[in-house]
Amino acid sequence: MTHLKSREAILFGAILGLLLVVATRFPGFVAPENLIAVFTDTSPLIVLAMGQMAVILTRCIDLSVAANLALTGMVCAMINVAAPDLPVGVILTVALAMGAMLGAINGILVWKLSIPPIVVTLGTMTIFRGIIFLLTEGKWINAHEMSPQFTGFPRADLLGMPVLGWIAVLVSAVMLLAMARTTLGRSIYAVGGNPHAAVYTGIDVGKTQFAAFVISGMLAGLTGYLWVARYSVAYVDIAGGFELDVVAACVIGGVSIAGGAGTVVGTLLGALFLGVVKNALPVVDISPFWQLAISGAAIIIAVAFNAQSGRTKGRVILKSAEHAQ
Amino acid sequence: MTFQASEQSGDTAFAPVLSLDNITKTFPGVKALDGVELHLYAGEVTALIGENGAGKSTVVKTLTGIYQPDGGQIMLDGKPVHFPTPQDAADAGVTAIHQETVLFDELTVAENVFIGHAPKNRFGLIDTKAMHAKTTEILASIGAPIDAGVKLKDLGIASRHLVAIARALSVEARVVIMDEPTAALSQTEIEELYDLVDTLKAQGKAILFISHKFDEIFRIADRFTVFRDGQFVGAGKMADIKEAELVQMMVGRAVEQLFPKRHAEIGDEVLKVVGYSHPTEFEDINFTLRRGEILGFYGLVGAGRSEFMQSLIGITRPSKGVVRIDGTVQVIRSPADAIQAGIVYVPEDRGKQGAIVDMPIFQNVTLPSLHKTSRNGFIRLAEEFAMAREYTERLDLRAASLNTNVGALSGGNQQKVVIAKWLATQPRVIILDEPTKGIDIGSKAAVHDFMSELAAQGLSVIMVSSEIPEILGMSDRVIVMREGRMVVELQGDDLSPETLVRHAVGIQTKGDAA
């Protein structure tokens, strides 16, 4: 655990360094209001990364999060068009429930049919996008069709930060508690750390993976509503390719792609790192191509870091060396 | 491939084929080999003996070019040599059959034998025909009835071993290193391997034989070399040494009693298994187990012992059968049910199936008992820590902190974590599958001691073991299994190595009416 803590410190340092470099050329970037704006802009990524982290920890991967987001977001928008007066609370409940259901489909296929997660979610990713097309025949739902309370919720200001930002804070806090202090969180780490050992200790590996997919789906559904409301538009291709950013945030944050290792704080920092890169570089006139290159380099560095710390240190054979450790 | 019989052992026995002189190998912070020596002679088997971690595997890797020594000299026929890569060692005729045989399931036997040095035709492509012919020739020379064209995945474990040996012989081998070759073999297969070693000896090869098992060392070796903690302790001829002296050289202290079964009060019946059957793995298993009793399960590898145990704890489903604990019928559909019922299983492969190395000690210990220290799914950390502390202290586990990751502990301590984990569930019955497989003599004694202590405290123990001395020394009663069936239940004066083996291999004699 100690090396994970130190890598989180390194990541935190990298984010600070990045902010510092940008601040020397454009001091306004590090003004509190702007930092809050950057955080809010990164919030969807943070929320999705929290779910993805749970999935990756169990040695799975969820490539369908962005498609789940788009489908649930579209359904929320359609409900809003049909019943503009429905309270936001109902919409939120629908978003969470529907997202969880879509996640459960992934989970069931992985659990009961033992299909590799990458295949399952690659399939459902395409299916979810296809369903949006079937529902809408490719038409968009635009800002003027949505009710003001529907689009206003994520943008509403609460203690100086939009609700969207607070939701990311809340989700991170809940996940922090869930991973550290619940039996489910512990099972998730155990399943990813050593599935064979987990079976013998009475943990149902498939069921735990199912639970992780439901969490990921639920958070994707939640983000679906927030995304559609924030940008006030819903169409087939929203958040296209965003699942890769989500996986990248986890990997940069130190979640091992082999499962079993990774923390909520690391994932949060990984998402923030990508958010800062995305928001800061245009400000200092660095082309978007460099932005992609920097994100890509960060992923490779993070994976190299994981591989390095995972390398075995050699065996202690001499009795004298055992005490020296 | 020709086997040269020209090097007759009589002439060359005085000068070793291969020697290690004053070899040192240091890893960061660790001296794995500290000035060791080792001499191998043509037509003779030299046993390399030492506890786990004595440096045996490092020597093998140094001899085969996987590691480079930091100091000292390797001599081949009295001339200094270097093996910068495994290929150089193979070219010099030094070849090894490794502990974990490195073979490829999806390739054919011939492809496995010649991987890395396949014969080429004039276009530089692999000459499949020649490869098959040579493989068939080698397999015939070691008396292995294996078709060179079948895929490796279609072979049993013993045949795979023969393929590994054929692979070692596919280079012009002068020195053959066998690293625990009998670890995964059954008694008959082991006998066949001994015959093979004799064949190789007759062909004038120098053999380095690494083993934990004393009976086989005395059966097969001409000379011995003992290492301890990376240092050379002694060498000599087998004819000049006694078992007890060898043990003392290995451990550096006299081991008085290897199997210290203490007296335990045998109480009431705890577990009763009736008619346990599985469609393909075992049939009609019946036994009872009393409080404080150690019940041994003996049999050859593949007799269905582990399969039965895994079914008993709910990993696989039996087709019929009843389990009673304290007279109450228990329905066990999953390991969680078994833990609930008070039956826990410590698997054979503790590395793979035991500890979760990325987790701290305390989380490993409490994993199966987490429901006891949590309310509504939320863990109470103080209670969890108290539980972890109680059981790690009971096992005398020494670690800087219970927050240390298990991966950072030594093998022995990892094993303690696994056992603490199971004791924390407060079981009635603990099943130990091959509890001392692959561990050194010193640690073995500690495990046996601990096992009798558990029994003395009133726990009922089932011990699956393939080691006859361990079965005889530790068990109050023994059940022998063969081909998925219970053959016999033995106790008291009926227990002898001969009866165990006879029942396990299925030799019927008149005296076995019972």
Side-chain angles (χ1 to χ4, degrees), chain A residues 181 183 186 194 200 317-318, chain B residues 31 53 229 352 379 384:
Chain A
R181 294 294 294 276
T183 48
R186 198 60 65 72
N194 188 341
Y200 285 103
I317 291 168
L318 290 184
Chain B
K31 226 172 190 181
D229 300 337
K352 202 170 150 203
I379 299 161
E384 187 186 7

Side-chain angles (χ1 to χ4, degrees), chain B residues 425-503:
Chain B
T425 66
Q426 297 177 310
R428 306 292 313 278
V429 178
I430 185 163
I431 305 168
L432 300 163
D433 199 342
E434 301 285 2
T436 62
K437 187 174 176 180
I439 69 175
D440 59 69
I441 283 184
S443 314
K444 261 184 188 173
V447 170
H448 291 144
D449 193 38
F450 178 69
M451 230 193 283
S452 5
E453 195 185 310
L454 288 180
Q457 287 169 5
L459 208 67
S460 305
V461 180
I462 294 177
M463 178 182 70
V464 177
S465 174
S466 302
E467 289 189 36
I468 290 175
E470 178 171 89
I471 282 278
L472 291 176
M474 295 302 301
S475 317
D476 296 303
R477 274 186 299 141
V478 177
I479 286 173
V480 181
M481 281 184 72
R482 175 164 50 89
E483 293 172 359
R485 290 164 185 273
M486 253 179 83
V487 189
V488 72
E489 190 179 313
L490 300 166
Q491 60 181 319
D493 294 339
D494 293 342
L495 275 171
S496 72
E498 295 73 31
T499 39
L500 283 177
V501 173
R502 222 174 49 230
H503 284 109

Side-chain angles (χ1 to χ4, degrees), chain B residues 160-217:
Chain B
R160 281 160 183 258
H161 217 86
L162 292 171
V163 173
I165 291 167
R167 174 168 160 67
L169 298 177
S170 64
V171 296
E172 292 288 330
R174 297 186 58 204
V175 176
V176 179
I177 301 165
M178 300 179 140
D179 194 354
E180 303 222 23
T182 60
L185 303 184
S186 69
Q187 203 61 47
T188 24
E189 291 159 357
I190 288 172
E191 284 300 332
E192 286 168 19
L193 184 89
Y194 292 162
D195 292 345
L196 177 60
V197 172
D198 289 337
T199 311
L200 295 177
K201 262 172 76 171
Q203 289 166 2
K205 308 211 185 292
I207 297 164
L208 178 63
F209 196 90
I210 297 175
S211 174
H212 277 295
K213 299 180 189 164
F214 271 48
D215 52 348
E216 81 184 19
I217 292 167

Side-chain angles (χ1 to χ4, degrees), chain A residues 315, chain B residues 48 54-62 64 67 99 179 210:
Chain A
R315 289 177 55 201
Chain B
L48 179 56
K56 293 171 295 182
S57 295
T58 312
V59 160
V60 173
K61 288 182 175 163
T62 306
T64 50
Y67 290 160
Q99 208 166 346
D179 194 354
I210 297 175

Side-chain angles (χ1 to χ4, degrees), chain A residues 7 11 44-57 60-66 117-118 121-122 125 213 216 241-258 261 266-271 274 295-296 298-300 302-303 306:
Chain A
R7 71 168 291 150
L11 192 52
L45 182 62
I46 294 172
V47 174
L48 293 174
M50 289 299 154
Q52 188 72 251
M53 174 197 70
V55 173
I56 295 178
L57 281 176
C60 295
I61 193 159
D62 187 354
L63 295 179
S64 73
V65 280
I118 193 163
T121 58
L122 207 56
M125 172 175 100
F213 274 108
S216 174
F242 201 60
E243 61 276 344
L244 297 182
D245 289 32
V246 175
V247 173
C250 292
V251 171
I252 293 172
V255 179
S256 164
I257 222 73
T267 306
L268 179 64
L269 290 172
L274 285 182
S295 307
I299 294 172
I300 292 171
V303 172
N306 277 349

